[in-house]
Amino acid sequence: MKATALGNAEHAAQPHLRPHLADVATYKPGRPAGDGSPARKLSANENPYPPLPSVLDVISAAATTINRYPDPASDALVHRLAESHGLAPEQVVIGAGSVALCQQLVNATTAPGDEVLYAWPSFEAYPLITRLADARSAEVELDRHARHDLSAMAAHITDRTRLIFVCNPNNPTGTTVTRTALEDFLARVPTHVIVAIDEAYREFVRDSDSADGLELLRTRPNVCVLRTFSKAYGLAGLRIGYAFAHREIADALRKTAMPFSVSSIAQAAALASLDAEPELLDRVDALIGERQRLAHRLERCGISIPRSEANFLWLPLGEDTAGFAAHCHNAGLSVRPFAGAGVRVSVAPPEINALFLNVARTYLRNA
Ligand SMILES: *Cc1c(COP(=O)(O)O)cnc(C)c1O
């Protein structure tokens, strides 16, 4: 009966959808590894370590209240982050992952045809959420060192530009923008244009010349800083990130949020992760050590790796990209190819990195 009813419905009139949806691509998640083993999935920059027991305990306890809606303002977490960063609570906004906050910024700033400016290649969500809002993407190619070309970006600002993303470190290349380069850039951006500094990987940054969004926020009214519990804190599956912004931008972020989208479990887990920060940051240190080792060994295979300040490396393989990704997939490892440009690989614990290195070596030797 049901099948017949559905069958008939297919012949009904086409639903009216907004025309621009026709060219919105569906987000493609990182491919699972060939054997389905999560440990071999190096395509999504996830934290490879399981949740800490102390965090899991808090998650279990929080699960006992899921018959209730969560605190829509994430008050406890807002106050905790405000205090530890020297901000007013009004300047902190929690979101269902920082990608939700990116989307809220696009929705808050653009009308159809307005422009969102960012470097390319960069975070794959930017073009998606821009298109979804029927806004236009202005993509400015990275420079030859796979870094943001901030002066070219400044030259691409028009009177339709509403929002600029600066991804620091940049996903997928791992490169950072320096404090002075970003300050010079900000001086060229009209103050009515919001600059979102996406710091999803900031806990992995060790280069002291790298720009610090929070520092810039203090003197620049149009800067907004985006951070997340997904990467360094290992809560990707719980969907929780945060923004620091001046009051007007923060208010706009609160207005554009989907109500109750940040669960009470996520809020509790984020607080527990802040309590467990030293332990979590030890894991970050271990991954940074692995990042350096892996980069060094890949370079010895004759491939030049841009200095990464994140939990992944960029292999600029150009035309070899698809072949390399397929080779990894056949060996049971999933990596993230960017067609014709390169491959991003997430840094893992030593055994998995060693496995990846062997797989990479056999390809690079025969290339
Ligand atoms: C992973 C990532 C995010 C966000 O992740 P959420 O899980 O939505 O917090 C944001 N920006 C960049 C550049 C990322 O790589």
Short mmCIF file of all heavy atoms in Angstrom, two decimals, residues 44-45 96-100 102 123 126 167 169-171 198 200-201 227-231 236 239-241 312 344, ligand 1:
data_model
loop_
_atom_site.label_atom_id
_atom_site.label_comp_id
_atom_site.label_asym_id
_atom_site.label_seq_id
_atom_site.Cartn_x
_atom_site.Cartn_y
_atom_site.Cartn_z
N ALA A 44 39.40 13.19 7.72
CA ALA A 44 38.48 14.18 8.31
C ALA A 44 39.10 15.00 9.44
O ALA A 44 38.39 15.74 10.12
CB ALA A 44 37.21 13.50 8.78
N ASN A 45 40.41 14.86 9.63
CA ASN A 45 41.11 15.65 10.68
C ASN A 45 40.52 15.45 12.06
O ASN A 45 40.56 16.36 12.90
CB ASN A 45 41.12 17.14 10.32
CG ASN A 45 41.88 17.40 9.04
OD1 ASN A 45 42.64 16.54 8.60
ND2 ASN A 45 41.67 18.54 8.45
N ALA A 96 26.40 24.76 17.20
CA ALA A 96 26.41 23.32 16.96
C ALA A 96 27.57 22.98 16.02
O ALA A 96 27.38 22.61 14.85
CB ALA A 96 25.08 22.87 16.39
N GLY A 97 28.77 23.13 16.52
CA GLY A 97 29.97 23.02 15.70
C GLY A 97 30.27 24.40 15.13
O GLY A 97 29.36 25.23 14.96
N SER A 98 31.56 24.67 14.85
CA SER A 98 31.85 26.00 14.33
C SER A 98 31.36 26.14 12.89
O SER A 98 31.19 27.25 12.39
CB SER A 98 33.32 26.36 14.47
OG SER A 98 34.14 25.43 13.86
N VAL A 99 31.09 25.02 12.22
CA VAL A 99 30.54 25.12 10.87
C VAL A 99 29.14 25.74 10.93
O VAL A 99 28.74 26.51 10.05
CB VAL A 99 30.59 23.75 10.15
CG1 VAL A 99 29.54 22.79 10.64
CG2 VAL A 99 30.48 23.91 8.65
N ALA A 100 28.40 25.46 11.99
CA ALA A 100 27.08 26.10 12.15
C ALA A 100 27.27 27.60 12.33
O ALA A 100 26.51 28.41 11.77
CB ALA A 100 26.34 25.51 13.35
N CYS A 102 29.74 29.36 11.13
CA CYS A 102 30.08 29.89 9.79
C CYS A 102 28.79 30.16 9.01
O CYS A 102 28.63 31.21 8.38
CB CYS A 102 30.91 28.89 8.97
SG CYS A 102 32.57 28.58 9.56
N PHE A 123 38.59 25.70 3.59
CA PHE A 123 37.58 24.82 4.19
C PHE A 123 36.42 24.62 3.22
O PHE A 123 35.83 25.58 2.74
CB PHE A 123 37.10 25.44 5.50
CG PHE A 123 36.18 24.59 6.32
CD1 PHE A 123 36.30 23.20 6.36
CD2 PHE A 123 35.19 25.19 7.09
CE1 PHE A 123 35.46 22.43 7.14
CE2 PHE A 123 34.35 24.44 7.88
CZ PHE A 123 34.47 23.04 7.91
N TYR A 126 32.89 26.49 3.17
CA TYR A 126 32.63 27.89 2.79
C TYR A 126 31.82 28.01 1.49
O TYR A 126 30.82 28.73 1.46
CB TYR A 126 33.93 28.71 2.69
CG TYR A 126 34.81 28.75 3.93
CD1 TYR A 126 36.20 28.91 3.81
CD2 TYR A 126 34.29 28.62 5.22
CE1 TYR A 126 37.02 28.96 4.93
CE2 TYR A 126 35.12 28.65 6.33
CZ TYR A 126 36.49 28.82 6.18
OH TYR A 126 37.32 28.86 7.28
N CYS A 167 41.05 31.37 7.19
CA CYS A 167 41.17 30.09 7.87
C CYS A 167 42.61 29.95 8.35
O CYS A 167 43.52 29.80 7.55
CB CYS A 167 40.80 28.98 6.89
SG CYS A 167 40.63 27.36 7.65
N PRO A 169 45.10 28.02 11.25
CA PRO A 169 45.74 27.50 10.04
C PRO A 169 44.71 27.11 8.97
O PRO A 169 43.59 26.78 9.30
CB PRO A 169 46.47 26.24 10.52
CG PRO A 169 46.52 26.34 12.00
CD PRO A 169 45.36 27.17 12.43
N ASN A 170 45.20 27.16 7.72
CA ASN A 170 44.30 26.87 6.62
C ASN A 170 44.08 25.37 6.44
O ASN A 170 45.03 24.60 6.35
CB ASN A 170 44.87 27.45 5.32
CG ASN A 170 43.89 27.33 4.15
OD1 ASN A 170 42.72 27.69 4.29
ND2 ASN A 170 44.36 26.82 3.02
N ASN A 171 42.83 24.98 6.41
CA ASN A 171 42.45 23.63 6.00
C ASN A 171 42.21 23.72 4.50
O ASN A 171 41.36 24.53 4.09
CB ASN A 171 41.14 23.25 6.74
CG ASN A 171 40.60 21.91 6.31
OD1 ASN A 171 41.16 21.24 5.47
ND2 ASN A 171 39.48 21.51 6.89
N ASP A 198 38.84 31.77 11.28
CA ASP A 198 38.45 30.41 11.61
C ASP A 198 39.67 29.69 12.21
O ASP A 198 40.61 29.34 11.51
CB ASP A 198 37.97 29.71 10.33
CG ASP A 198 37.41 28.32 10.58
OD1 ASP A 198 37.72 27.72 11.63
OD2 ASP A 198 36.68 27.83 9.70
N ALA A 200 39.87 26.69 13.87
CA ALA A 200 39.49 25.33 14.27
C ALA A 200 40.68 24.51 14.79
O ALA A 200 40.50 23.57 15.55
CB ALA A 200 38.83 24.61 13.09
N TYR A 201 41.89 24.89 14.36
CA TYR A 201 43.09 24.10 14.72
C TYR A 201 44.06 24.88 15.60
O TYR A 201 45.23 24.55 15.67
CB TYR A 201 43.79 23.64 13.44
CG TYR A 201 42.89 22.81 12.56
CD1 TYR A 201 42.20 23.39 11.51
CD2 TYR A 201 42.70 21.45 12.82
CE1 TYR A 201 41.33 22.65 10.72
CE2 TYR A 201 41.84 20.71 12.04
CZ TYR A 201 41.16 21.31 10.99
OH TYR A 201 40.30 20.56 10.23
N ARG A 227 36.09 29.01 16.94
CA ARG A 227 36.87 27.88 17.46
C ARG A 227 35.94 26.69 17.70
O ARG A 227 34.72 26.83 17.64
CB ARG A 227 37.57 28.28 18.75
CG ARG A 227 38.60 29.38 18.52
CD ARG A 227 39.36 29.69 19.78
NE ARG A 227 40.30 30.79 19.55
CZ ARG A 227 40.99 31.38 20.51
NH1 ARG A 227 40.84 30.99 21.77
NH2 ARG A 227 41.82 32.35 20.24
N THR A 228 36.53 25.55 17.99
CA THR A 228 35.71 24.35 18.10
C THR A 228 36.25 23.35 19.12
O THR A 228 37.45 23.34 19.41
CB THR A 228 35.61 23.66 16.71
OG1 THR A 228 34.79 22.50 16.84
CG2 THR A 228 36.97 23.22 16.18
N PHE A 229 35.36 22.53 19.64
CA PHE A 229 35.76 21.41 20.49
C PHE A 229 35.96 20.13 19.66
O PHE A 229 36.20 19.07 20.21
CB PHE A 229 34.71 21.16 21.58
CG PHE A 229 34.74 22.20 22.68
CD1 PHE A 229 33.88 23.28 22.65
CD2 PHE A 229 35.67 22.09 23.71
CE1 PHE A 229 33.92 24.25 23.65
CE2 PHE A 229 35.72 23.06 24.72
CZ PHE A 229 34.84 24.13 24.69
N SER A 230 35.81 20.24 18.33
CA SER A 230 35.83 19.03 17.50
C SER A 230 37.22 18.44 17.30
O SER A 230 37.36 17.23 17.15
CB SER A 230 35.26 19.34 16.11
OG SER A 230 33.88 19.60 16.19
N LYS A 231 38.24 19.27 17.23
CA LYS A 231 39.53 18.77 16.79
C LYS A 231 40.43 18.46 17.99
O LYS A 231 40.55 17.32 18.38
CB LYS A 231 40.16 19.78 15.81
CG LYS A 231 39.23 20.19 14.66
CD LYS A 231 39.07 19.12 13.61
CE LYS A 231 37.91 19.26 12.63
NZ LYS A 231 37.67 20.51 11.96
N ALA A 236 34.18 15.85 18.07
CA ALA A 236 33.58 16.10 16.74
C ALA A 236 32.14 15.57 16.65
O ALA A 236 31.27 16.20 16.06
CB ALA A 236 34.44 15.47 15.64
N ARG A 239 29.13 17.91 18.20
CA ARG A 239 28.77 19.17 17.55
C ARG A 239 28.76 20.35 18.50
O ARG A 239 27.70 20.80 18.95
CB ARG A 239 27.40 19.05 16.83
CG ARG A 239 27.19 17.81 16.00
CD ARG A 239 28.29 17.58 14.98
NE ARG A 239 28.50 18.73 14.11
CZ ARG A 239 29.69 19.32 13.94
NH1 ARG A 239 30.78 18.86 14.52
NH2 ARG A 239 29.80 20.34 13.14
N ILE A 240 29.93 20.85 18.83
CA ILE A 240 29.97 22.06 19.66
C ILE A 240 31.20 22.90 19.34
O ILE A 240 32.33 22.40 19.33
CB ILE A 240 29.82 21.73 21.17
CG1 ILE A 240 29.73 23.00 22.00
CG2 ILE A 240 30.91 20.76 21.67
CD1 ILE A 240 29.13 22.81 23.38
N GLY A 241 30.95 24.16 19.03
CA GLY A 241 32.01 25.12 18.74
C GLY A 241 31.61 26.46 19.34
O GLY A 241 30.55 26.58 19.95
N PHE A 312 47.12 17.94 10.41
CA PHE A 312 47.12 17.27 9.11
C PHE A 312 48.26 17.83 8.28
O PHE A 312 48.83 18.87 8.62
CB PHE A 312 45.78 17.47 8.39
CG PHE A 312 45.38 18.93 8.28
CD1 PHE A 312 45.88 19.73 7.25
CD2 PHE A 312 44.55 19.51 9.23
CE1 PHE A 312 45.54 21.08 7.17
CE2 PHE A 312 44.21 20.87 9.15
CZ PHE A 312 44.71 21.64 8.12
N ARG A 344 45.15 15.83 1.45
CA ARG A 344 45.28 16.16 2.86
C ARG A 344 45.22 14.87 3.65
O ARG A 344 44.34 14.04 3.42
CB ARG A 344 44.12 17.08 3.26
CG ARG A 344 44.24 17.68 4.66
CD ARG A 344 42.93 18.32 5.09
NE ARG A 344 41.94 17.30 5.33
CZ ARG A 344 40.63 17.51 5.35
NH1 ARG A 344 40.14 18.70 5.11
NH2 ARG A 344 39.80 16.52 5.59
C1 LIG B 1 36.76 21.00 11.21
C2 LIG B 1 36.66 22.44 10.86
C3 LIG B 1 35.66 23.28 11.36
C4 LIG B 1 34.56 22.90 12.20
O1 LIG B 1 34.18 21.91 12.71
P1 LIG B 1 32.94 21.73 13.66
O2 LIG B 1 32.99 20.29 13.90
O3 LIG B 1 31.74 22.17 12.91
O4 LIG B 1 33.19 22.59 14.87
C5 LIG B 1 35.67 24.62 11.05
N1 LIG B 1 36.60 25.11 10.27
C6 LIG B 1 37.55 24.37 9.76
C7 LIG B 1 38.57 25.00 8.92
C8 LIG B 1 37.62 23.00 10.02
O5 LIG B 1 38.56 22.27 9.45
#
